Every structure is written in C-alpha cells, then in structure tokens.
Amino acid sequence: GDAFMNRYDRRAELAPRDIVARAIDAELKASGDEYVLLDITHKSAAFIKKRFPNIYVRLLEVGLDMTKEPIPVAPAAHYFCGGVVTDGEGKTALPGLYAIGEVANTDFHGANRLASNSLLEACAFAHYAAAAIKTDPVRAWPRARRAYCAVDWGSRSMKDPDAGAMVTHNWDEVRRVMTNYVGIVRSEARLALAAKRLAMAAAEIGGLVERFVPTKNVAELANILLLGGLITASARSRKESRGLHYMLDYPKKRTMFKKPTIVSRY
C-alpha cells in the first residue's frame, strides 16, 4: 500500500523504465518480497479495458482482474544483449548457427538494441535468416556432424534419482543467483557471491557431465552455468555503469570503457 516511486524520482511511476526497474529492485531487496504491486484500480473499468485490452485479457486468463485488484510486478534483466556477432543474414561464425533479435550484434542499431527499434529484427532479419537457412549447405550435413560439443560426456544412463534432484536444485539456484546478484542492479560484493555460487554449481554439474549420457536438462543447465559465469566475470571487469550494466559501486560512465564493441568480423 506504499507508493514508493516518488522517493526515487520526481516523475514517480512515469520515470524512465530503467529508473523504475532499479527502484523496484531496491524495494524487493530491502523487503525480501518477490514482487511489488501495480495498482490502477483508481481508473474506471471502461478506461482500463480500452487502454490496456491485451494486458486486461491476459491477466484474466491467470485469474487477475486489474480493474479490481493490483498486479504483481517484478523487473526482468537483459543479461545478454547484442553480443553474438552476425552478418546481414543472421549467420554467425559457427556453421549452421543463426542469431537474430536482442541476442544478435548485427551492426544495425549501434549500442541501443532495445524497445521499438527491434521491429527491424522481427520484420527484416527473420526474413533474411529464413531465406539464408533454406540454402545453407549445413542443412545437408549428417546429423552427427551438426553436433558441436565442448566437453566429453560420460556413457552411463542417468537413472540415479540423486542426479535428478541435483539438476532441479541447481536450476533453482542459478535462477536465484542471477536474479539477485547479477540482475537489475549489481555490486562488487553481489558479483563476488554470484561467482562463488556459480562455480560451486558448475563443479556439481561437471560431475554429472563426466559420468552420464547427456540429457536435455543437464545440457541446458551446463550451458546456462557457463554463460552465467561469463556474464558475471564480464560484469566484474567493468568498473562503471553503462546501458544495461548498472553498478552500485560505480554509478557513472567512465571514458576508458567507451570503445568500439566490434573487434573483428569473421
């Protein structure tokens, strides 16, 4: 019931979304709650249904009537934005792998890869990539040659019930670590904790990789742990705040980090 945004910005709820997201994050970390509440019930039901028709219907599907009750809200982090280098068709340096959308670094948007400029990705690059894939000779390769693996997997069938419990626990652990320590707002202390926790989880999953034939869940978890570790290490090396990377210890931009992000193209 406490309207907190005016404590963070004079524009309150109408402040830019990065400011609102950081404010919500601060409130959640202080309270330990999993969400804040967005309340628009002071507006008439007719206004809400006309102004937010899609949101209204979607919330009804999950049992929430935004005309009568507040909406649970939590900020989401853009962990990996514009990092995979592609050509003009979405093709990467790895044969058979294409990337489009927020994860892709296509050179079309510069440093700003968010909001409505992503329409070019949806409308144009989806078409370019689809056309390229249709003629890509990689499609004719035998399936075995299309499999890329950075580790040597074991040969035992994963029937050990403890293995399943370990995977489930670490899935939850990684989600919470990345959200709480490497998410909307970062700090030296949080990133250090994240690196430690992710390394422990990676060691446990590494044991499964060495012993068992890969399953979809274990392979995905191993990949997520690797990527989470790389994101955390990258964040720890960047002693500033810029774009999606906000550090409590270094809230300002630093000119030493202003440099071209394109090192080379394949």
Side-chain angles (χ1 to χ4, degrees):
D2 176 29
F4 58 84
M5 271 309 303
N6 52 13
R7 298 201 296 268
Y8 294 89
D9 192 281
R10 60 180 177 78
R11 293 163 290 188
E13 289 81 5
L14 297 179
R17 59 183 176 177
D18 59 326
I19 295 175
V20 175
R22 288 197 292 270
I24 294 173
D25 180 79
E27 292 291 316
L28 296 184
K29 283 187 168 57
S31 67
D33 294 331
E34 294 188 356
Y35 55 82
V36 296
L37 294 172
L38 177 62
D39 190 357
I40 196 172
T41 56
H42 60 285
K43 292 288 189 178
S44 70
F47 171 86
I48 293 172
K49 292 175 184 178
K50 182 178 180 181
R51 181 65 180 82
F52 307 106
N54 294 328
I55 297 174
Y56 172 74
V57 171
R58 179 70 185 100
L59 290 175
L60 281 182
E61 292 173 355
V62 296
L64 284 169
D65 185 347
M66 64 187 290
T67 67
K68 300 177 181 178
E69 57 189 322
I71 309 164
V73 173
H78 295 267
Y79 290 110
F80 200 73
C81 183
V84 179
V85 178
T86 74
D87 65 9
E89 295 178 325
K91 187 181 295 183
T92 71
L94 185 63
L97 179 66
Y98 289 74
I100 63 173
E102 215 167 70
V103 74
N105 185 346
T106 59
D107 262 5
F108 276 68
H109 298 304
N112 182 13
R113 263 298 296 117
L114 298 178
S116 55
N117 65 14
S118 59
L119 287 173
L120 176 60
E121 302 284 336
C123 297
F125 270 88
H127 172 77
Y128 300 151
I133 289 169
K134 288 179 180 178
T135 59
D136 194 327
V138 173
R139 297 181 72 225
W141 291 8
R143 173 172 286 274
R145 291 189 61 191
R146 281 191 261 155
Y148 289 86
C149 191
V151 296
D152 294 324
W153 288 81
S155 57
R156 291 169 53 188
S157 177
M158 191 178 292
K159 296 180 179 178
D160 185 347
D162 290 339
M166 191 185 300
V167 171
T168 301
H169 171 80
N170 280 294
W171 263 109
D172 186 61
E173 174 85 356
V174 173
R175 287 192 184 101
R176 291 183 178 276
V177 165
M178 294 300 291
T179 297
N180 293 330
Y181 299 151
V182 199
I184 300 295
V185 176
R186 298 163 174 174
S187 71
E188 292 274 21
R190 292 174 191 172
L191 291 173
L193 284 171
K196 182 178 180 180
R197 297 284 183 85
L198 291 172
M200 291 171 60
E204 288 188 7
I205 297 305
L208 296 183
V209 168
E210 292 171 0
R211 287 181 289 157
F212 297 108
V213 173
T215 66
K216 178 175 180 289
N217 285 344
V218 176
E220 286 186 351
L221 180 54
N223 288 337
I224 287 170
L225 280 164
L226 174 61
L227 186 55
L230 291 171
I231 291 169
T232 303
S234 177
R236 295 182 79 182
S237 70
R238 198 175 189 92
K239 314 294 186 182
E240 67 157 2
S241 289
R242 185 185 296 268
L244 306 177
H245 172 67
Y246 187 84
M247 285 281 282
L248 287 174
D249 309 87
Y250 313 101
K252 303 295 182 182
K253 293 180 182 178
R254 295 177 64 187
T255 54
M256 65 174 289
F257 288 104
K258 186 178 182 180
K259 59 186 72 174
T261 56
I262 304 295
V263 178
S264 65
R265 287 192 178 271
Y266 59 95

